[in-house]
Amino acid sequence: MNALAATNRNFRLASRLLGLDSKLEKSLLIPFREIKVECTIPKDDGSLATFVGFRIQHDNARGPMKGGIRYHPEVEPDEVNALAQLMTWKTAVANIPYGGAKGGIGCDPADLTVSELERLTRVFTQKIHDLIGVQTDVPAPDMGTGPQTMAWILDEYSKFHGHSPAVVTGKPVELGGSLGRDAATGRGVLFATEALLKEHGMSVSGQRFIIQGFGNVGSWAAQLISEKGGKVVAVSDITGAIKNTNGLDIPSLLKHSREHRGVKGFHGGDAIDPNSILVEDCDVLVPAALGGVINRENANEIKAKFIVEAANHPTDPEADEILKKKGVVILPDIFANSGGVTVSYFEWVQNIQGFMWDEEKVNNELKTYMTKGFKDVKEMCKTHNCDLRMGAFTLAVNRVARATVLRGWEA
Ligand SMILES: NC(=O)C1=CN([C@@H]2O[C@H](COP(=O)(O)OP(=O)(O)OC[C@H]3O[C@@H](n4cnc5c(N)ncnc54)[C@H](O)[C@@H]3O)[C@@H](O)[C@H]2O)C=CC1
Ligand SMILES: O=C(O)CCC(=O)C(=O)O
């Protein structure tokens, strides 16, 4: 099932549990605005290259639309649409005053030089600058983008609208980025996992983790989990997969990954087939790369007791059903990876106030939001007698529906 069909399905299931009116359901499902732009840049060798960029703004009932920008060869409209919708539900679960959006450019950042990436980012910003803004739509990093990408967007946007640090989050700290944003999604994954395991009378310490993806989210999650005594027994990225049943030495793996641009070749473990990583033995599986990786082909083989969705929509609905029958507990993306957008919110607040928080305050506030989010999701599970995914979806859809109805439809 494609990402959009899967996300729509989860939304509709939640809408039915809540008993939403079908007209309201339709208005919540259709995106506010879909932007598709052609981005042509001169490459370093003088030849031209054309890319397609998207920004899909899903909903703004609860506040400015918010979500990352992804640079990846598989970026296409349905996927971005699904990711934008997920942002609406994620900001609502976190209870931060935003709606949802997502953007992306269909490109392989590994094939472009830094100056080509800068030109591409600037052209994309020129095409969408009138449609984003501090109170309308605030981009952030996602796969294949990072603080430098946000710095280029900030600079290009500010040429049109004056200096506007709050137009993007996940910026370098020197440009108004928040302390703690870089680690925030991984730290949120840790807090979410702690809340889940505590509920089952367990803690991170001593559990065996497998992490797919070793970029921003996966590497921070691995680091923070291992600092808490969790044993990370296997990790994969686009270059390969490494396993060590005694636990990988994460600081050494981070160093190796920085020096060799990937985990491949790390000597502190055995190389394994990256396609098998999700079905290796562990207690907690943390997908932190692409969507749709847990599906009907591999769901039956999964050995983990818990899945913490650090990536967006890693589990498709067929796999959800199979795993539920097997008794696997899934902590859904719209809660589990909400630490990133929550600290993006703190960054935006700091920029608007012209004031900077210290990192301890950022991390403490994040823990408060994640703990409250878990409690709110669990309450919805009780109310609707449903699993954690539907608990999170009903919580979010109800909040957005309430805001939409309160605002009214008068033209
Ligand atoms: N960066 C953020 O703040 C947030 C990111 N996310 C989600 O987390 C996931 C990862 O994002 P980032 O870490 O930011 O991206 P990133 O670009 O920093 O890292 C992506 C990682 O995935 C790996 N990867 C790519 N294709 C793979 C494959 N086929 N098999 C195994 N590994 C593969 C890459 O090698 C890299 O290690 C995405 O689903 C993203 O939407 C969710 C919330 C916030
Ligand atoms: O920090 C943000 O605004 C959004 C991060 C993001 O794209 C996500 O949570 O999927």
Side-chain angles (χ1 to χ4, degrees):
M1 195 183 283
N2 94 354
L4 184 57
T7 307
N8 288 347
R9 176 186 176 276
N10 285 330
F11 163 76
R12 284 201 183 92
L13 286 174
S15 164
R16 307 251 149 100
L17 282 175
L18 292 164
L20 289 194
D21 161 284
S22 64
K23 296 205 174 79
L24 178 57
E25 186 178 296
K26 188 172 176 190
S27 114
L28 292 178
L29 208 52
I30 297 177
F32 170 82
R33 186 190 278 139
E34 299 184 42
I35 304 155
K36 178 177 176 185
V37 293
E38 166 260 310
C39 301
T40 300
I41 56 157
K43 304 242 322 197
D44 290 353
D45 65 6
S47 65
L48 289 183
T50 297
F51 303 89
V52 183
F54 303 92
R55 184 73 181 167
I56 304 207
Q57 300 172 329
H58 176 255
D59 192 273
N60 62 1
R62 298 180 64 262
M65 292 170 284
K66 188 83 188 83
I69 292 187
R70 177 178 286 197
Y71 288 180
H72 192 272
E74 282 166 28
V75 164
E76 49 84 25
D78 271 10
E79 167 89 358
V80 185
N81 227 308
L83 292 166
Q85 190 190 140
L86 286 171
M87 286 308 306
T88 299
W89 314 134
K90 191 183 304 186
T91 55
V93 168
N95 214 3
I96 54 179
Y98 288 137
K102 199 83 170 198
I105 300 181
C107 68
D108 188 347
D111 286 347
L112 297 169
T113 64
V114 173
S115 55
E116 288 165 349
L117 282 169
E118 177 173 352
R119 284 196 287 280
L120 181 57
T121 304
R122 289 183 185 280
V123 169
F124 182 52
T125 310
Q126 286 162 17
K127 299 272 172 102
I128 64 167
H129 75 89
D130 268 340
L131 301 167
I132 60 171
V134 177
Q135 296 297 342
T136 47
D137 178 2
V138 183
D142 191 72
M143 277 186 92
T145 59
Q148 179 61 72
T149 327
M150 297 305 115
W152 292 326
I153 296 177
L154 161 57
D155 185 65
E156 200 59 31
Y157 180 89
S158 296
K159 289 178 188 165
F160 296 94
H161 302 275
H163 185 56
S164 316
V167 74
V168 284
T169 59
K171 306 175 279 294
V173 172
E174 297 87 335
L175 286 171
S178 178
L179 295 168
R181 174 60 184 90
D182 197 35
T185 309
R187 194 178 297 281
V189 166
L190 169 71
F191 292 152
T193 308
E194 285 180 326
L196 175 69
L197 293 179
K198 189 171 168 203
E199 229 231 347
H200 288 80
M202 298 156 81
S203 70
V204 164
S205 178
Q207 306 303 326
R208 295 163 308 144
F209 289 78
I210 288 183
I211 303 182
Q212 183 193 46
F214 205 62
N216 171 278
V217 180
S219 69
W220 272 110
Q223 195 173 322
L224 296 166
I225 284 166
S226 72
E227 282 171 12
K228 284 279 178 180
K231 209 194 260 189
V232 181
V233 294
V235 157
S236 73
D237 68 7
I238 192 77
T239 66
I242 302 286
K243 177 180 168 184
N244 183 337
T245 47
N246 295 318
L248 291 158
D249 175 352
I250 298 300
S252 304
L253 181 58
L254 280 165
K255 186 166 176 285
H256 174 94
S257 170
R258 268 193 296 269
E259 284 166 5
H260 300 86
R261 296 170 144 250
V263 301
K264 189 176 176 189
F266 181 61
H267 292 307
D270 301 319
I272 56 166
D273 175 3
N275 296 318
S276 78
I277 187 155
L278 299 171
V279 301
E280 292 283 336
D281 197 18
C282 69
D283 301 304
V284 186
L285 178 61
V286 184
L290 295 171
V293 292
I294 302 175
N295 47 49
R296 67 172 171 197
E297 310 295 325
N298 58 12
N300 260 316
E301 311 308 316
I302 283 179
K303 302 186 184 58
K305 301 172 199 70
F306 300 95
I307 298 178
V308 176
E309 295 186 337
N312 284 307
H313 74 83
T315 313
D316 80 16
E318 286 167 308
D320 245 347
E321 292 305 320
I322 297 169
L323 291 162
K324 204 189 288 179
K325 285 193 191 120
K326 277 166 57 101
V328 179
V329 177
I330 304 180
L331 198 58
D333 49 5
I334 58 173
F335 166 66
N337 72 33
S338 64
V341 73
T342 300
V343 175
S344 276
Y345 164 55
F346 302 158
E347 180 171 326
W348 181 78
V349 166
Q350 291 171 74
N351 294 154
I352 289 170
Q353 290 182 330
F355 188 78
M356 200 164 165
W357 299 359
D358 64 31
E359 195 168 347
E360 201 185 339
K361 179 172 166 75
V362 171
N363 294 343
N364 287 341
E365 288 287 334
L366 174 61
K367 184 160 191 170
T368 303
Y369 272 74
M370 296 301 300
T371 309
K372 176 75 168 64
F374 187 71
K375 195 166 158 273
D376 290 350
V377 169
K378 286 296 299 178
E379 260 166 38
M380 290 308 263
C381 293
K382 244 191 251 158
T383 306
H384 296 288
N385 189 24
C386 60
D387 63 12
L388 289 162
R389 189 179 313 283
M390 273 307 115
F393 265 84
T394 49
L395 176 67
V397 173
N398 191 44
R399 282 179 176 160
V400 179
R402 284 282 303 146
T404 306
V405 170
L406 284 167
R407 289 179 70 139
W409 283 274
E410 284 297 315

